């Protein structure tokens, strides 16, 4: 490898960090790192001042939290790198820039190989299983990257409860596990080599070369965004429609938004703040959140009922418990991910700020904070009610199945949802355009907080209600501090104008 290629490879690998540093988004990463490191430190410190029996449990909890936190940090960094490389893999650059595709593939493979070697040389040698750790790391990282590249692969996770139940109730399970373990002991390095080769091929296929299929895929994603995709609020302003609305027919989720939009425009005396909120697009509007909740109740309940009926009585409780866990994470996620996308409508916000009667300064900043918070509270409460009902139904079908199926995460997650309000109070003038990491961080934070609640409950015996109240109190204190700070901050619109490079 020549020095020029090495320099280009280093620049490609450093691009995700440069992107976040230029966008002043380093604080989000530091928050995740602090969240991952605080719990082990608190538990270990508490173990030094308690009884020996309780101290052992607290130290074990600290080790567990440290392991989970370290894995979460690695996944966040890997997601940032993969998302940035996929963003750079544009069809035009792939066709016109010499060596562009090769550099992206080399960077992805180099980072993946470094993480696999780290897993083998670190925890692998500490636990006397380097090949097992290398094999698991290679497979998990390649699969996670493939899910970021092809999002439909996330649907494969739906078969996990069924596969686990079938394997757990199969009469030949012990023989199969024994045969696989014996084969691994004989040919562990061969199996590792096969997995590593398959992972490398998958990563190479993720970076496309700029052909017609590459261009068609990019256009297809753009059409999905324009017609109700995940980035609906990013669509350009169309004649007669507000920022974030589509050039085609609204989807069933956004029909209430379109109806409310026409109703407000038909009224000459409609409130200016209502028009202002409509101009930000359907992704942040309260009608979309209500529609999301109603359809989640309808589709979630129908799918859970069908799956439980088709699976038979032995696995009904497990399906209901996993459905409750999925609804808890899925109900609040759209409200959390809508906020980072506001940075992409900065040009429209500059026009909206000129409407007669639109406030400026602290009044606008606080109003926007409330508008971002109320839909999240609504979606969270709806998710809690539905998940609680599904958990009770699962317990009625099979007592104790909620803890056995999800390891207690379904209940621990309830304590971590309302504290996510802290994400909804930002420095609006410094908000940057969304990236894959920005959309992932809020979801990852609720999972990490739920794991912390689970460990604290297991080691100290504190109830989930008390833990949730404590987490929420800290989050509300942060929101109150942000409310006070907004007196001295620049006006919200247009968002992101004070960040470097904006």
């Amino acid at each position: 490898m020549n020095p020029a290629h090495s320099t280009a490879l280093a620049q490609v690998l450093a691009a995700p960090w440069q992107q976040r540093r230029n966008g002043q988004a380093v604080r989000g990463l530091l928050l995740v790192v602090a969240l991952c490191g605080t719990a082990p430190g608190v538990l270990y410190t508490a173990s030094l001042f308690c009884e020996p029996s309780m101290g052992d449990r607290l130290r074990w909890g600290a080790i567990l939290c440290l392991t989970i936190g370290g894995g979460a940090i690695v996944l966040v960094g890997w997601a940032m790198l993969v998302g940035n490389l996929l963003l750079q893999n544009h069809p035009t650059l792939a066709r016109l820039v010499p060596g562009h595709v090769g550099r992206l593939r080399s960077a992805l493979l180099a980072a993946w190989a470094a993480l696999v070697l780290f897993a083998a040389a670190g925890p692998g040698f500490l636990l006397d299983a380097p090949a097992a750790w290398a094999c698991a790391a290679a497979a998990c990282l390649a699969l996670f990257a493939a899910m970021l590249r092809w999002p439909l692969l996330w649907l494969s996770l739906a078969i996990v409860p069924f596969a686990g139940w079938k394997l757990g109730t199969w009469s030949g399970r012990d023989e199969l596990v024994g045969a696989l373990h014996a084969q691994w002991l004989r040919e562990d390095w061969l199996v590792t080599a096969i997995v590593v080769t398959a992972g490398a091929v998958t990563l190479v296929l993720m970076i496309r070369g700029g052909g017609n299929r590459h261009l068609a895929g990019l256009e297809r994603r753009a059409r999905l965004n324009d017609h109700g995709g995940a980035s609906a609020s990013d669509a350009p302003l169309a004649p007669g429609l507000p920022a974030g609305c589509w050039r085609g027919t609204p989807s069933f989720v956004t029909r209430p938004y379109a109806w409310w939009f026409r109703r407000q425009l038909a009224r000459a005396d409609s409130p200016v703040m209502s028009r202002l909120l409509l101009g930000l697009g359907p992704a942040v509007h309260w009608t979309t959140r209500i529609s999301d909740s109603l359809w989640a109740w309808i589709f979630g309940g129908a799918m859970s009922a069908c799956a439980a009926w088709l699976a038979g009585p032995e696995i009904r409780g497990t399906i209901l418990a996993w459905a409750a866990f999925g609804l808890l994470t899925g109900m609040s996620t759209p409200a959390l991910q809508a906020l980072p996308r506001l940075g992409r409508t900065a040009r429209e916000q500059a026009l909206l700020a000129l409407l007669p009667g639109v406030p400026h300064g602290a009044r606008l900043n606080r109003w926007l904070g409330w508008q971002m918070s109320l839909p999240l509270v609504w979606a969270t409460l709806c998710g809690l009610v539905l998940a609680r009902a599904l958990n009770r139904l699962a317990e009625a079908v099979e007592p104790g199945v909620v803890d056995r199926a999800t390891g207690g995460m379904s209940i621990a997650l309830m304590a971590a949802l309302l504290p996510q309000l802290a994400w909804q109070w930002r420095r609006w003038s410094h908000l940057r355009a969304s990236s894959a990491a920005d959309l992932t961080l809020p979801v990852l934070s609720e999972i990490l907080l739920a794991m912390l609640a689970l460990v604290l409950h297991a080691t100290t015996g504190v109830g989930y209600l008390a833990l949730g109240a404590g987490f929420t109190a800290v989050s509300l204190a942060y929101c109150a501090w942000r409310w006070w700070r907004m007196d001295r901050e620049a006006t919200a619109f247009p968002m992101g104008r004070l960040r470097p490079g904006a």
Side-chain angles (χ1 to χ4, degrees), residues 371-415:
Q371 297 303 319
M372 295 297 102
S373 298
L374 292 178
L376 176 63
V377 173
W378 163 264
T380 299
L381 292 180
C382 289
L384 288 173
V385 171
L386 184 57
R388 186 65 176 171
L390 289 176
N391 280 336
R392 287 190 175 183
L393 184 58
E395 290 290 332
V397 172
E398 184 181 350
V401 70
V402 175
D403 285 334
R404 291 197 301 270
T406 64
M409 277 294 293
S410 181
I411 302 176
L413 191 60
M414 296 182 181

Side-chain angles (χ1 to χ4, degrees), residues 127-483:
L127 299 176
D128 197 21
W133 275 85
C135 184
C140 291
L141 292 174
L143 180 60
F144 186 59
M147 287 180 172
L148 295 177
R149 170 63 181 82
W150 298 288
L152 287 178
L153 291 177
W154 289 101
L155 297 177
S156 62
L157 297 179
I159 68 173
V160 172
F162 297 94
W165 174 74
K166 288 292 186 182
L167 182 61
T169 57
W170 182 40
S171 59
R173 179 192 60 182
D174 295 336
E175 291 79 2
L176 177 63
V177 172
L180 292 177
H181 183 66
Q183 184 67 26
W184 170 259
L185 293 178
R186 290 195 302 269
E187 306 290 347
D188 53 349
W189 288 104
L190 177 61
V191 174
T192 302
I194 294 174
V195 172
V196 168
T197 303
V201 171
T202 301
L203 295 178
V204 169
L205 294 176
M206 286 175 52
I207 306 298
R208 293 180 291 183
N212 292 332
R213 295 182 63 183
H214 190 179
L215 183 61
L218 185 67
E219 294 175 349
R220 184 167 55 251
R221 286 197 301 272
R223 288 195 300 269
L224 288 174
N225 290 344
D226 285 347
H227 293 82
S231 301
S233 63
D234 305 334
L237 190 65
L241 292 178
C245 207
W246 302 279
R247 293 180 288 271
T249 303
S251 66
F252 62 89
V253 176
T254 56
R255 288 186 188 277
Y257 167 81
W259 171 81
W260 186 258
F261 170 66
R262 298 188 186 96
R263 184 175 183 272
Q264 292 298 306
L265 289 187
R267 293 176 51 192
D269 59 342
S270 59
V272 64
M273 302 310 290
S274 178
R275 291 177 175 242
L276 177 62
L277 185 60
L278 283 168
L280 297 178
V284 299
H285 202 264
W286 55 269
T287 55
T288 306
R289 298 284 77 80
I290 294 177
S291 179
D292 282 339
S293 303
L294 292 178
W295 284 112
W297 281 49
I298 294 172
F299 283 125
M303 291 179 62
S304 299
C306 292
W309 176 67
L310 293 174
E314 299 87 356
I315 196 177
R316 285 176 183 169
T318 302
I319 292 176
L320 292 173
W322 276 104
F325 178 78
L327 285 171
L328 279 175
T329 56
M331 292 286 282
S332 59
T333 297
L336 288 170
Q337 292 183 338
L339 188 146
R341 296 192 179 104
L342 284 177
R344 295 187 178 182
T345 58
R347 289 177 295 181
E348 289 80 8
Q349 293 163 18
L351 298 177
L352 293 171
L354 300 178
L355 289 174
V358 172
H360 297 277
R363 285 184 59 199
L364 180 60
N365 296 343
R366 289 166 179 167
W367 172 84
L368 191 58
W370 280 114
Q371 297 303 319
M372 295 297 102
S373 298
L374 292 178
L376 176 63
V377 173
W378 163 264
T380 299
L381 292 180
C382 289
L384 288 173
V385 171
L386 184 57
R388 186 65 176 171
L390 289 176
N391 280 336
R392 287 190 175 183
L393 184 58
E395 290 290 332
V397 172
E398 184 181 350
V401 70
V402 175
D403 285 334
R404 291 197 301 270
T406 64
M409 277 294 293
S410 181
I411 302 176
L413 191 60
M414 296 182 181
L417 293 180
L418 282 178
Q420 305 307 312
L421 276 174
W423 290 100
Q424 307 301 89
W425 293 81
R426 305 284 189 92
R427 289 196 303 169
W428 310 114
S429 57
H430 290 76
L431 189 71
R432 70 193 192 98
S434 63
S435 64
D438 295 308
L439 301 179
T440 305
L441 282 176
V443 182
L444 181 62
S445 69
E446 66 183 12
I447 298 296
L448 290 175
L449 195 60
M451 290 180 178
L452 174 60
L454 183 65
V455 172
L456 290 176
H457 175 74
T459 55
T460 63
V462 180
Y464 286 116
L465 182 60
L467 290 173
F471 294 157
T472 305
V474 174
S475 178
L476 291 177
Y478 172 80
C479 294
W481 177 77
R482 289 290 305 127
W483 175 283

